[in-house]
């Protein structure tokens, strides 16, 4: 796109250059000289990318302005393009999130929940996947936080509080974070967050012992950090879920599972097309 824009700019400069040049030839003859126009356009393109410069006719203010404009463009374009590349490189967002977090009993998790937990207590499931075909992600770690506002006990001020929530590890036990060694492209991953109470209706009023009935602006944050293979850079992503009444960021039910098949493309796995859906009641 950048090259196309610069080529268009070079053509425009070539046209303006031809219109303003001092020549005994008429406009029709000048514009009929396709080879001459192409030569000027290519010279303007080289000037616009900073590898050459235009030579204005002596005493021609129009040519001087066009040559200066092309030179300034040639000085700025490499820096702008390099800045865009660097921003894109260090602002990778490889993860696609499921639109809603689903809430279901702990017995519906993808692994047996530890015996000390009531299997009927609710768990929040947050799903995501890596959508880049050519970007391998490793050492993925997921953490969950709760953010809410309450009145300070020492006055009428409104204070933002943050609570670090525990998640379930691969053994179904509580942990501060969930870790994965590698992240296959397209395969969904799930962060399971115990609620520590049964749940039959929304919105959530208690999460891991915290009473939210008097709180406002309640949001659940799930943050991911990982490293990329090859680039060696760290990538981070996060998703906020609004816990307040009237929000549609949560839904009751178990998300549709996928039947993994490493021998086929992930997008053809059974259940993939219903990634954002819930199982039918009783399913």
């Amino acid at each position: 796109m950048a090259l196309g824009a610069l080529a268009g700019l070079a053509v425009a400069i070539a046209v303006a250059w031809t219109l303003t040049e001092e020549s005994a030839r008429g406009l029709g003859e000048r514009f009929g000289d396709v080879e001459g126009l192409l030569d000027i356009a290519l010279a303007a393109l080289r000037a616009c990318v900073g590898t050459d410069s235009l030579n204005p006719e002596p005493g021609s203010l129009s040519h001087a302005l066009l040559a200066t404009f092309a030179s300034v463009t040639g000085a700025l374009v490499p820096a702008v393009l390099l800045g865009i590349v660097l921003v894109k490189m260090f602002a990778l967002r490889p993860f696609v999130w499921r639109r809603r977090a689903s809430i279901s009993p702990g017995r519906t998790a993808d692994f047996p929940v530890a015996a000390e937990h009531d299997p009927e207590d609710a768990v929040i499931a947050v799903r995501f996947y890596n959508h880049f075909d050519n970007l391998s992600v490793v050492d993925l770690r997921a953490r969950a936080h709760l953010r809410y506002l309450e009145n300070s006990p020492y006055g009428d001020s409104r204070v933002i509080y943050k609570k670090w929530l525990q998640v379930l590890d691969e053994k179904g036990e509580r942990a501060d974070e969930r870790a994965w060694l590698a992240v296959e492209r397209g395969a969904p991953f799930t962060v399971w967050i115990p609620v520590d109470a049964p749940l039959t209706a929304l919105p959530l009023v208690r999460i891991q012992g915290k009473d939210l009935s008097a709180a406002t602006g309640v949001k659940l944050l799930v943050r991911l950090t990982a490293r990329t293979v090859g680039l060696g850079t760290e990538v981070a992503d996060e998703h906020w879920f609004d816990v307040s009444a009237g929000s549609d960021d949560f839904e009751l039910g178990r998300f549709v599972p996928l039947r993994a098949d490493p021998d086929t493309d992930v997008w053809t796995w059974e259940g993939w097309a219903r990634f954002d859906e819930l199982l039918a009641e009783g399913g």
Side-chain angles (χ1 to χ4, degrees):
M1 290 175 64
L3 182 59
L6 290 173
L9 178 60
V11 171
I13 291 175
V15 171
W17 191 278
T18 303
L19 284 172
T20 56
E21 70 177 351
E22 295 181 4
S23 174
R25 298 182 302 169
L27 282 179
E29 186 178 355
R30 278 181 273 171
F31 282 104
D33 184 4
V34 177
E35 186 176 347
L37 276 173
L38 182 59
D39 185 59
I40 297 173
L42 292 176
L45 180 59
R46 292 193 298 272
C48 287
V49 297
T51 60
D52 201 350
S53 59
L54 292 174
N55 296 317
E57 292 181 346
S60 175
L61 178 59
S62 299
H63 279 196
L65 290 174
L66 289 171
T68 302
F69 176 75
S71 297
V72 171
T73 302
L76 294 178
V77 164
V80 172
L81 292 182
L82 179 61
I84 292 173
V85 170
L86 291 176
V87 167
K88 289 296 184 182
M89 182 179 295
F90 293 104
L92 292 175
R93 300 199 66 178
F95 301 107
V96 174
W97 299 80
R98 189 175 184 272
R99 291 184 298 109
R100 297 185 180 93
S102 63
I103 304 176
S104 58
R107 55 180 167 77
T108 65
D110 288 331
F111 40 73
V113 178
E116 61 267 22
H117 303 301
D118 188 338
E120 295 304 316
D121 278 355
V123 290
I124 302 171
V126 176
R127 303 184 86 197
F128 58 90
Y129 65 89
N130 169 26
H131 70 96
F132 283 143
D133 290 336
N134 57 351
L135 183 67
S136 297
V137 179
V138 297
D139 296 333
L140 174 65
R141 299 180 182 276
R143 296 179 177 180
H145 299 261
L146 192 67
R147 191 210 71 178
Y148 55 93
L149 283 75
E150 283 185 343
N151 289 329
S152 170
Y154 301 102
D156 295 332
S157 61
R158 201 72 166 164
V159 181
I160 298 177
Y161 293 96
K162 299 178 181 68
K163 174 181 174 64
W164 192 330
L165 298 178
Q166 291 189 311
V167 300
L168 298 182
D169 63 14
E170 69 279 1
K171 299 178 181 179
E173 299 176 349
R174 290 175 176 269
D176 289 334
E177 64 180 17
R178 178 74 162 94
W180 291 272
L181 180 65
V183 180
E184 295 83 359
R185 188 267 301 178
F189 289 77
T190 306
V191 181
W192 300 90
I193 306 169
V195 177
D196 289 345
L199 186 67
T200 57
L202 293 173
L204 289 161
V205 294
R206 180 180 295 272
I207 299 179
Q208 295 187 13
K210 173 57 187 175
D211 185 2
L212 302 173
S213 58
T216 60
V218 184
K219 290 190 176 182
L220 171 69
L221 166 67
V222 176
R223 176 172 293 145
L224 307 176
T225 56
R227 298 194 66 82
T228 59
V229 177
L231 292 177
T233 58
E234 182 174 281
V235 294
D237 201 358
E238 62 184 27
H239 196 79
W240 292 86
F241 297 91
D242 192 350
V243 184
S244 59
S247 167
D248 63 349
D249 288 351
F250 290 86
E251 56 188 357
L252 294 177
R254 214 276 192 189
F255 56 79
V256 173
L258 271 69
R259 185 177 295 276
D261 184 358
D263 296 327
T264 62
D265 188 81
V266 64
W267 314 120
T268 64
W269 289 359
E270 181 182 342
W272 176 254
R274 302 176 62 196
F275 179 79
D276 278 310
E277 298 179 21
L278 288 178
L279 279 176
E281 189 173 352

